[in-house]
């Protein structure tokens, strides 16, 4: 039985229309995505332009220097075509669908082209997987990762000799000599440049991330979840750095990740308190994105 006894509704209130791209970080395991999004807002000197409200859901009201603020806020800047959504409010799995629908209905009304979520997930990994990965809709991949599109398989009939039915001998350039051509092996998560974002091999998304991605597969909204492995410490600064670097690689915002560690240290105690609130919720109420390398 759900612990929420009254209907829960969400709404978005904004002072201005969002940019064509929305990047979000939510209150999830390890707080890596939230830390990354919060840092980007601070580093890019964005101003609050709206918030997302929740009625009927146990909430928090953060405050700083005696001033309260909404837990889920929107940030923009006139000369930057990106709006950030920073969500400190924990949204349980049971409410992920209406929460996501509110965000997506708003992006549709505002003609947002794409949405990207920064997220950490506690999946098994080795040192080689300390990188950022992506799970993206086809149109997002085509826009930002065209080199990762799967190769089109050849027509089997074209690979046979029409006279014998055998596979044809490899063609050879007369000027190339007798040495076989060298073929470069494709990058894999173990061999690729650590600075490049790689497609996640397989697994499944859960909660808000899953709902956002499901809509992106069925609409014109390009969607992506950037995910990186996280550890129990809060905030996981290394994971947050990887997510910021992924954003910088894709969107070229001119962000320096150097100050992030100091930023995380400054807000560390606040985030640790926030993490304790997450732990109060039952395991079945927490998103559990599962990835497999």
């Amino acid at each position: 039985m759900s612990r929420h006894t009254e209907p829960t509704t969400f709404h978005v209130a904004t002072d201005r229309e969002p940019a064509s791209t929305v990047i979000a970080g939510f209150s999830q395991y390890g707080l890596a995505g939230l830390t990354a999004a919060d840092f980007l807002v601070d580093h890019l000197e964005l101003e609050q332009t709206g918030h997302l409200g929740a009625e009927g859901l146990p909430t928090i009201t953060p405050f700083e220097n005696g001033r309260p603020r909404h837990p889920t806020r929107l940030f923009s800047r006139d000369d930057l075509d990106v709006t950030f959504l920073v969500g400190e409010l924990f949204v349980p799995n049971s409410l992920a669908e209406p929460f996501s629908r509110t965000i997506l209905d708003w992006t549709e009304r505002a003609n947002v082209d794409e949405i990207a979520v920064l997220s950490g997930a506690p999946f098994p990994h080795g040192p080689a997987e300390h990188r950022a990965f992506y799970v993206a809709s086809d149109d997002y991949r085509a826009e930002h990762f065209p080199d990762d599109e799967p190769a089109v398989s050849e027509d089997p009939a074209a690979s046979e000799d029409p006279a014998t039915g055998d596979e044809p001998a490899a063609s050879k350039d007369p000027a190339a000599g007798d040495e076989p051509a060298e073929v470069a092996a494709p990058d894999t998560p173990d061999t690729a440049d650590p600075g490049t974002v790689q497609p996640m091999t397989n697994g499944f998304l859960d909660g808000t991330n899953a709902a956002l991605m499901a809509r992106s597969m069925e609409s014109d909204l390009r969607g992506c979840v950037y995910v990186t492995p996280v550890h129990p410490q809060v905030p996981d600064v290394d994971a947050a750095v990887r997510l910021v670097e992924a954003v910088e690689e894709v969107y070229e915002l001119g962000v320096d990740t150097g100050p992030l560690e100091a930023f995380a240290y400054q807000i560390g105690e606040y985030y640790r308190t926030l993490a304790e609130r997450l732990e109060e919720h039952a395991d079945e109420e927490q998103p559990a994105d599962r990835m497999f390398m």
Side-chain angles (χ1 to χ4, degrees):
M1 179 180 296
S2 171
R3 71 183 64 193
H4 310 296
T5 58
E6 56 183 290
T8 300
T9 60
F10 301 94
H11 69 273
V12 178
T14 60
D15 299 331
R16 69 183 76 166
E17 292 300 304
S20 63
T21 294
V22 172
I23 298 177
F26 298 116
S27 189
Q28 297 171 342
Y29 189 92
L31 301 184
L34 177 60
T35 305
D38 203 359
F39 170 75
L40 287 164
V41 166
D42 182 79
H43 192 73
L44 295 170
E45 299 182 341
L46 307 185
E47 62 179 18
Q48 184 174 335
T49 55
H51 70 274
L52 192 151
E55 292 78 36
L57 175 68
T59 189
I60 59 173
T61 301
F63 60 87
E64 184 176 7
N65 295 326
R67 298 185 63 184
R69 63 174 185 259
H70 295 281
T72 304
R73 305 177 302 284
L74 296 161
F75 296 88
S76 297
R77 201 176 72 195
D78 289 340
D79 60 343
L80 187 70
D81 194 26
V82 178
T83 291
F84 282 86
L85 174 58
V86 178
E88 297 177 20
L89 177 64
F90 169 71
V91 178
N93 268 9
S94 58
L95 296 174
E97 197 280 330
F99 176 73
S100 304
R101 186 173 63 246
T102 298
I103 296 173
L104 293 166
D105 289 347
W106 164 67
T107 60
E108 184 175 359
R109 292 193 305 270
N111 297 315
V112 171
D113 292 330
E114 64 185 40
I115 184 168
V117 180
L118 310 181
S119 181
F123 57 89
H125 64 280
E129 284 79 52
H130 280 167
R131 63 173 74 246
F133 301 89
Y134 70 82
V135 180
S137 60
D138 289 344
D139 48 2
Y140 190 99
R141 288 172 64 110
E143 178 73 17
H144 296 291
F145 302 105
D147 293 340
D148 292 344
E149 288 298 300
V152 179
S153 60
E154 295 182 353
D155 181 353
S159 63
E160 296 179 354
D161 188 304
T164 65
D166 296 329
E167 292 185 3
S171 60
K172 184 167 62 177
D173 184 345
D178 295 328
E179 292 297 323
E182 187 178 67
V183 179
D187 283 341
T188 67
D190 288 333
T191 63
D193 179 354
T196 60
V197 188
Q198 295 291 308
M200 179 60 70
T201 305
N202 55 45
F204 63 83
L205 299 170
D206 200 0
T208 300
N209 293 349
L212 291 170
M213 188 53 57
R215 173 72 76 90
S216 72
M217 292 189 296
E218 300 169 353
S219 70
D220 293 333
L221 179 70
R222 299 190 295 267
C224 180
V225 175
Y226 290 95
V227 63
T228 192
V230 291
H231 301 105
Q233 70 265 25
V234 176
D236 188 332
V237 178
D238 291 339
V241 168
R242 294 192 292 269
L243 292 171
V244 171
E245 289 175 342
V247 170
E248 177 59 24
E249 180 181 331
V250 174
Y251 293 102
E252 298 181 345
L253 301 177
V255 176
D256 175 15
T257 61
L260 197 154
E261 186 168 355
F263 173 85
Y265 177 80
Q266 292 171 0
I267 62 175
E269 186 57 38
Y270 172 76
Y271 274 178
R272 281 187 286 274
T273 303
L274 183 61
E276 290 173 1
R277 290 187 58 86
L278 295 183
E279 293 174 358
E280 294 173 0
H281 295 271
D283 290 341
E284 64 270 15
E285 287 292 317
Q286 295 218 37
D289 292 347
R290 302 185 190 278
M291 315 291 168
F292 307 96
M293 306 311 303

